[in-house]
Amino acid sequence: MTTPHSQAATLRTTLEDYNYHYYVMDDPKVPDAEYDRVFRALKALEAEHPELVTSDSPTQRVGDRPLDEFSQITHRVPMLSLDNVFNHDELMAFDKRLQERLVKQRDVEDVEVVDPIEYVCEPKLDGLAVSLMYEDGVLTQAATRGDGQTGEDITHNIRTIDSIPLKLRGEGYPAVLEVRGEVVMPRAGFAALNAKAEAAGEKVFVNPRNAAAGSLRQLDSRITASRPLDMYCYSVGYVEGGDLPGKHYEILQQLNKWGLKLNPEVRINTGAEDCSKYHDYILNKRDELDYDIDGIVYKVNDLRLQDMLGFVSRAPRWAIAHKFPAQEELTTLLDVEFQVGRTGAITPVARLEPVFVGGVTVSNATLHNMDEVQRMDIRIGDTVVIYRAGDVIPKIVKVLLDKRPESAVAIAPPEQCPVCKSAVVQEEGEAVARCSGGLYCHAQVKEAIKHFASRKAMDVDGLGDKLVEQLVDLELISTVADLYRVSAESVAQMERMGDKSAQNLIKALEDSKKTTLPRFLFSLGIREVGEATALNLANHFGTLDAVKEADQEALQAVPDVGPIVALHIGEFFSQPHNVEVVQSLIDVGLYWDEIDIDHSQEKPLEGKTYVLTGTLTLMARDQAKGYLQQLGAKVSGSVSKNTYCVIAGESAGSKLAKAESLGVSVITEQEYVVLLGEYGIEVAV
C-alpha cells in the first residue's frame, strides 16, 4: 500500500530529477506544465501532512521569514584568492615558474613530473564566490567568501536558487562535502530586473555582479527567490568521510554527476600556449555568453602536482587568473552635449577624458535621459565610473561624490532643439524630452517622410525607405513638402533609378495630392494621433484650420482624444516650423474635400457600449473603433451585462463566449460594415 510518506519521497525524487535536467544539464526532461503538476501534487501532500516536509524538498525554495541579521561562518578550509596575469608574456612566465619549481621538487622527492603541464581552463565568472556544505548529501549551510577566512551565512538565500541541489544525486559522495562556486545573474535576467525596477521608479543595479551580490545579501529570502540567479561550481573545499578523484577536471565531472552545475566552457589544455589559445577563444566569445566574465582561470589539473607546488601568501601557486581588459574605469566628465534621435528624443551624451576600457579608448558615453542625470546627480567636472562590455554603448554607472570639485557644474536640459531650434517638450511622467519640430527637424526628417508616404497616410506608391534615405542624403529633399518639388531628372540620376522609375515616382506623388483630411492629419506624424484619432478629428472639426485653431478643451471634446493627445496636437501646431511645412504642402497642391459637419445631428449610437473581439479583416481595429466613437458609442475592452453589442471578427475567443452566455447581441464584421452604411459611413471592402 502506498503511504503519504512514500508518495512524498517519490514526488521529491521526480522533481529533483526534473530540476537536474532543466537547470544543470540544460536538457528539459518534461514540459513545464508537467513539472508544475508534480510540484503542485507534492505541495498539496505536504500541506495535508506537514510532518512530511523536509529541508531538501523542492517546495522549500520559495524563501522563509526575514532574518534580523547575518551570522558569521568560519571556513574550515580558507577560500583563497588568485594572483593575476594580464598578457601572453606573463602567462608564459607563470608556466615557466611552475615547471622550474616542479623540477626542483622532482629532484628532492624523486617523483615523475609530466612536461608540459596539463591545465584546467575555465571562464572567470564575475559574480559572488560562495561555499556550499553538504552533509550526507543534504545542503546544510552556505556562506559567502568574505575575507577568505570568515564569510556570512547565506543558507536561507542559497536554497532559493534552482540550479543548486538541496540534495545531491546518486551515491558515493563524501559524508561531508564542501562545494565552491560562483553565483551569477544571467544578462537577460539582469536586463529584465533593471527594466522592472526602472518602471517602478526604483534604483537600478550597476551591473550583474552587483545585482547578484545584492540579491544574496538580502535578509528577506523571498526577495532573493524573486531574482534570476544561477550558480556554477568550480572546486571543492573541506572533504570528510570519502575520497575524490586525483584530477581537478575529474572532480568537476563527479560534482556534475551529483547534480551540481558546471560551466560548459571548462576545458583541459596542455601547456601555456594552448592556454593562451583558449584565452583568445573565450575573449572572442565573451559577448555571446549569457553571463559576465572578467578573465580566465588556469588550474594545474593533477592534484599531486598541486600539493607539490603549494601556496604563497594567500594564493595557490598552481592557479592563476588571466584578466581581460577592464570593463569599468574612472575618468572625468568634461562636458555634456544633447543629441536628437530619429523620433525627436533628446538624449544627453557625456564627453569624457579619454580612457581605455573594455579593450577600446572611450571618450563618449550615454546618459540615457535627464531623469537619469538627476537621479545620479551627475555634474560636469565629476569623476565617474565608465562601464563598457563588448559592443555595449559605454555608459556612466556611478559618480564619485567624494571627488567632486568645487567647480563642478550642474547639467541643464536644453529649452530648444539643438538641431532645428524648435521647442523641447517633456510630458509629465515621461523620462524623455523631445523636439517638437517633427516635420522640420533634420534629425527626424527621414522617419517623418517615411511615415508621410506610407500606405495608410499619403500612400505614395514606390517611395520606399531606401529611396527616402537616398533623397535626404543627397539633399534633394529636407521636408515632406520638398517631395512634391523634386524633379524626375534628379531622381533618375540616383542609384538603381532610371527614367521610367523616376517618372513613375513623380506620377505617384502627383496622384497622392488628392487625399482626405483624415489621411492628411495622420500623415503629419503627430504623436499618438493614429488613423482612428485622425478620423475622429476630421469628422469632428471638418477642416484643417479648425483642428489647428482648437484649444485643449475643444480637442478633448473629440472621441478618443484625452488630455495627453490634445497636448501633443496643440504643441505640434504651435510650432512655426511645423505650420510652415503644412502650409507648404497645401501650396504645392495637396487638397481634399471638406467634411460637412452638423453638430446638431444626433449620434445614433450615443450611450451604447460596443466591444470588438477577434481578428478584423475588412478594416484596422483602430478604424473600427473610430467609426463607433464617431457615431457616439463607447468602446470597451471587456464584455459585461452593460454591453450593448459585440462585433466578432475571425477567431473570436473568450469575449464572444461571455457575450453569448450573457445574452449580449453579437454581429459579424460584415454586418458591422452594413450597419455603418446605414449611418452614411462607407467602408471600401
Side-chain angles (χ1 to χ4, degrees), residues 620-684:
R621 182 175 290 267
D622 281 347
Q623 189 178 7
K625 180 180 177 181
Y627 289 140
L628 288 168
Q629 291 171 330
Q630 179 184 336
L631 294 169
K634 177 185 176 183
V635 181
S636 175
S638 59
V639 177
S640 72
K641 62 181 181 180
N642 296 321
T643 303
Y644 176 76
C645 182
V646 170
I647 300 169
E650 294 179 1
S651 304
S654 59
K655 292 179 184 178
L656 175 60
K658 186 171 183 180
E660 291 172 340
S661 69
L662 293 174
V664 172
S665 175
V666 177
I667 63 173
T668 65
E669 184 183 9
Q670 289 78 8
E671 290 172 323
Y672 175 47
V673 170
V674 173
L675 177 68
L676 291 175
E678 293 174 0
Y679 294 128
I681 299 175
E682 298 297 330
V683 178

Side-chain angles (χ1 to χ4, degrees), residues 12 19 46 53-64 130-134 137-143 153-167 183 215-216 221-222 224-225 229 231:
R12 281 196 293 270
N19 276 334
E46 290 179 345
V53 178
T54 61
S55 63
D56 60 325
S57 174
T59 63
Q60 302 305 297
R61 290 189 182 274
V62 294
D64 207 342
V130 297
S131 159
L132 311 178
M133 195 68 73
Y134 287 90
V138 177
L139 178 65
T140 57
Q141 180 180 280
D153 185 346
I154 54 168
T155 309
H156 67 307
N157 286 335
I158 282 293
R159 292 172 58 82
T160 69
I161 301 176
D162 290 314
S163 57
I164 296 176
L166 301 178
K167 186 178 188 304
V183 172
S215 299
L216 281 182
S221 60
R222 291 169 296 186
T224 309
L229 297 173
M231 178 192 148

Side-chain angles (χ1 to χ4, degrees), residues 484 510 513-514 584-592:
Y484 296 95
E510 190 65 29
K513 288 181 178 179
K514 173 66 171 76
S584 294
L585 287 167
I586 296 171
D587 291 343
V588 296
L590 269 71
Y591 68 101
W592 53 85

Side-chain angles (χ1 to χ4, degrees), residues 231-512:
M231 178 192 148
Y232 297 95
C233 67
Y234 56 66
S235 70
V236 296
Y238 183 79
V239 178
E240 179 185 304
D243 295 321
L244 294 174
K247 298 287 182 71
H248 177 67
Y249 186 80
E250 293 171 0
I251 291 175
L252 294 181
Q253 300 306 309
Q254 185 60 65
L255 292 177
N256 189 232
K257 291 177 182 176
W258 287 334
L260 291 144
K261 190 171 184 176
L262 294 185
N263 190 291
E265 300 297 337
V266 175
R267 302 284 190 275
I268 294 179
N269 286 293
T270 303
E273 286 294 346
D274 279 353
C275 288
S276 184
K277 292 176 183 177
Y278 175 84
H279 167 273
D280 294 344
Y281 159 73
I282 293 294
L283 182 58
N284 290 331
K285 192 176 182 180
R286 182 185 194 180
D287 298 333
E288 302 173 18
L289 301 175
D290 188 36
Y291 44 82
D292 279 1
I293 62 175
D294 58 4
I296 305 295
V297 175
Y298 310 116
K299 299 174 184 174
V300 173
N301 190 26
D302 193 324
L303 269 59
R304 181 180 57 91
L305 298 185
Q306 288 186 11
D307 290 339
M308 291 172 63
L309 291 165
F311 301 83
V312 55
S313 184
R314 300 180 66 181
R317 288 195 180 94
W318 43 265
I320 202 80
H322 192 164
K323 298 296 288 289
F324 289 155
Q327 291 185 300
E328 290 185 349
E329 275 293 354
L330 294 179
T331 188
T332 303
L333 177 61
L334 301 178
D335 197 4
V336 171
E337 297 177 2
F338 290 88
Q339 293 182 347
V340 186
R342 60 183 179 84
T343 62
I346 307 290
T347 304
V349 177
R351 303 305 182 197
L352 308 165
E353 185 72 38
V355 60
F356 191 77
V357 57
V360 299
T361 298
V362 171
S363 56
N364 301 318
T366 180
L367 288 169
H368 299 294
N369 53 57
M370 284 304 299
D371 279 8
E372 183 73 359
V373 170
Q374 291 164 5
R375 184 187 69 78
M376 297 179 68
D377 188 23
I378 304 171
R379 302 183 187 181
I380 296 169
D382 275 340
T383 298
V384 296
V385 177
I386 297 296
Y387 175 80
R388 180 188 182 276
D391 293 330
V392 174
I393 297 171
K395 61 181 178 180
I396 293 176
V397 295
K398 189 175 182 181
V399 178
L400 302 188
L401 296 177
D402 59 337
K403 292 182 176 291
R404 172 169 289 166
E406 292 183 4
S407 58
V409 178
I411 301 167
E415 295 182 358
Q416 292 185 322
C417 171
V419 175
C420 72
K421 306 306 177 187
S422 296
V424 171
V425 295
Q426 184 172 3
E427 311 302 343
E428 186 175 352
E430 284 194 6
V432 178
R434 297 178 187 275
C435 165
S436 57
L439 287 182
Y440 175 81
C441 182
H442 189 71
Q444 304 174 66
V445 67
K446 287 183 180 178
E447 294 306 312
I449 294 172
K450 290 174 185 177
H451 174 75
F452 179 84
S454 63
R455 182 175 60 83
K456 294 180 180 180
M458 300 305 294
D459 194 19
V460 182
D461 188 37
L463 187 57
D465 290 356
K466 291 185 177 179
L467 187 53
V468 169
E469 291 177 8
Q470 281 192 69
L471 288 166
V472 175
D473 291 341
L474 293 172
E475 299 182 354
L476 294 176
I477 58 175
S478 59
T479 72
V480 290
D482 291 338
L483 283 170
Y484 296 95
R485 301 188 182 99
V486 73
S487 68
E489 291 76 16
S490 58
V491 173
Q493 302 303 314
M494 293 168 54
E495 183 180 348
R496 297 184 179 180
M497 294 293 288
D499 291 338
K500 181 65 174 175
S501 298
Q503 290 294 341
N504 289 341
L505 177 61
I506 299 302
K507 183 179 184 302
L509 284 164
E510 190 65 29
D511 291 344
S512 73

